[in-house]
Amino acid sequence: MTITPTLASPKILTGIRGFDEITRGGLPRGRTTLIMGGAGSGKTVFALQSLVNGVRESNESAIFVAFEESVAQIISNASAFGWDLPRLAKKRLQFFDARLSPEIVKSGEFDFVGMLAILESLARTSNAQRIVFDGLDVLLGLLDDPVVERREIYRIRDWLARTGLTGVITQKVGTDIVDQRYSYLQFIVDCVVIVRHQVVEGSAFRNLRVMKYRGSGFAGDEFPITLTTEGLQLTNRGPVELRYDVSDERISTGLPRLDHMLRGGYHRGSNILISGAPGTAKSTLAALFAVAACERGERTMYVSFDEGAAQIVRNLQSVAIQFAPYLASGLLKMYSTRTRGPNVEDQFGELRAMVRLHNPRCLVIDPLSALSTKLAHVASADAAQQFLDYLKVEGITVVNTSLLDGINTDEATATGISTIADTWIHMSYLVQDGERNRALTIVKSRGTGHSNQVRELTLTDSGVTLTDVFVAHGKVLMGVARWQWEQEGIAARKRNEVTTELKRLQLQLKQVEAAARLQVVQAETEARGAELELLARTMREASELLDTDRTALLEMRHADAEAMLAKPGASPKAAPKPRRTSLGRKAP
């Protein structure tokens, strides 16, 4: 996030994550800021870190004036933050040990004139832009005179105004009530920041609040702060306006049938909540999502609370989910830790650091409720939501599981995270016919249609699947009851198949018989036809023969020519000559 100081109120960045955002640009440039806080609240870290960041990021020079600790102690204490103070101390970061000797303290007569003269010379030669007076109240306390103390304070204020340095003064106060002795400090400075360190139910909380900032707007709420290996960090709730990129890309849940129920899977960059009672396979569903992400070649992180990584890997093998190959390749990073009391902000801070280190595209938090149920302090009340907002801005798809108490199947989460989840899948138990089965329901899925069916989730040695919806007698059946109905259905289908086959065979037989009968009829028809044809030919031939015989008979009987002519079809011919018989004589 780029912070641009306003022209009306020049500011100087501290480089402290979150603080520059709530102050809209950092500390007032060329003016004085008071950091108030109790022991261990982080005021010295804040002041020193602002100088270190100015030197490292803005190439400025700075001076740290120590009234309480030695320079060696300060450098040693800050070594845990990785700032490399010895190297910076040789260049642009100057340390000035302003502790008084026992003799001067005993006399009680001193002022800041000499010290400020030395500092002015040092600032001029090093071209310093920033200066910190750490533990000024310690030195003021040695004066043991309220009037003198106030005089020296004003002397420092005037000196800062004349030199144009951006000054930071740290002051110790009680845990709850500001030390009234130096309360006037709040009125002479331009910016007042209060840091607090308190213990609630055995857990330590740190927070920061900007009480005053002349000439500038700022966020006046109390913000949680954490001390990390990089220094102090403030958790900002972010801008009031929610603005982040969204994607229409769908990614698999790791369970094909669940993808189908969601019409393609989860939206990329969305926030998914899987809630349910213990043992309803929330972790298994989350693990399937992690494996699917690794299969796509995406860096993935699996965060678990109160259960070790090795145990999770072993347990998932029982349902054919293998994490080992992806752990070996480095695609999958597992981080297992314990919940540690109500200060969940520190733990979310650790998670942020782990996420930045591994840079995953997909994240599993199992269960998020392990942290979000420990909300005894206002600083942690919205820590979970802030962390999820951070993931959404980074475009990380996150699957959170949420554990419900007991075997309660009510669709609710104690933290209200369900209201900000984009997709909410609820797992429950369905007790029926003396057994308990896992039921999956999609409560909501923003931006996409989804199934409203209750599906049974089954876990076997070969894997995880969702069974088809099976309804009998107006209700969804699961487990053995579903199996029995399914077996009865299979048997009924087989009986129907056999009956149908028998009927088909019978019809085929009748068809064959009909065809055979048809062939017989056709054969008889042909035979009758042949007989008719034969009869007709016989009759015709007989008729022809009869005609021939008649003619021959007439010829043999020497019938008259007229008789011959009477022969049907005969043409008129000359009368036949009388034939000579062998016994007669020739007629005269």
Side-chain angles (χ1 to χ4, degrees), residues 327-343:
L327 289 171
S329 66
L331 273 178
L332 179 62
K333 170 71 175 179
M334 296 192 72
Y335 176 62
S336 299
T337 182
R338 286 188 179 280
T339 54
R340 301 183 297 275
N343 188 2

Side-chain angles (χ1 to χ4, degrees), residues 80-249:
F81 299 127
W83 295 337
D84 195 9
L85 289 184
R87 185 180 64 83
L88 295 178
K90 296 177 182 178
K91 297 182 178 180
R92 294 179 176 273
L93 180 57
Q94 309 293 325
F95 286 91
F96 185 83
D97 193 340
R99 292 178 302 166
L100 298 179
S101 64
E103 292 76 13
I104 296 178
V105 173
K106 185 176 182 180
S107 66
E109 296 180 357
F110 60 91
D111 57 34
F112 294 166
V113 175
M115 178 192 70
L116 294 179
I118 297 174
L119 291 175
E120 185 171 354
S121 175
L122 183 60
R124 188 182 305 112
T125 55
S126 63
N127 192 26
Q129 289 84 35
R130 310 184 190 213
I131 188 168
V132 167
F133 293 98
D134 184 45
L136 181 61
D137 53 290
V138 176
L139 188 59
L140 294 175
L142 298 176
L143 293 172
D144 198 21
D145 185 339
V147 176
V148 177
E149 292 172 2
R150 181 165 300 196
R151 182 196 65 195
E152 296 304 317
I153 284 293
Y154 279 103
R155 190 194 304 276
I156 291 179
R157 184 201 62 177
D158 295 341
W159 181 84
L160 286 171
R162 181 170 56 82
T163 58
L165 292 171
T166 300
V168 174
I169 298 174
T170 66
Q171 177 198 354
K172 290 193 294 294
V173 295
T175 54
D176 297 320
I177 302 175
V178 177
D179 191 346
Q180 297 296 325
R181 185 174 180 179
Y182 304 113
S183 61
Y184 60 89
L185 276 172
Q186 304 170 32
F187 302 99
I188 66 174
V189 298
D190 298 287
C191 178
V192 177
V193 177
I194 300 175
V195 287
R196 299 177 62 191
H197 183 202
Q198 59 185 136
V199 177
V200 177
E201 296 183 2
S203 186
F205 290 87
R206 289 186 176 87
N207 54 65
L208 179 149
R209 182 171 71 90
V210 178
M211 186 176 72
K212 168 185 175 182
Y213 201 130
R214 285 175 178 161
S216 174
F218 59 94
D221 294 338
E222 194 173 72
F223 294 91
I225 57 176
T226 54
L227 297 178
T228 69
T229 56
E230 299 176 353
L232 185 146
Q233 294 183 358
L234 180 146
T235 302
N236 183 13
R237 294 181 176 86
V240 176
E241 181 182 5
L242 294 177
R243 182 178 297 176
Y244 43 79
D245 296 332
V246 296
S247 172
D248 290 330
E249 181 185 355

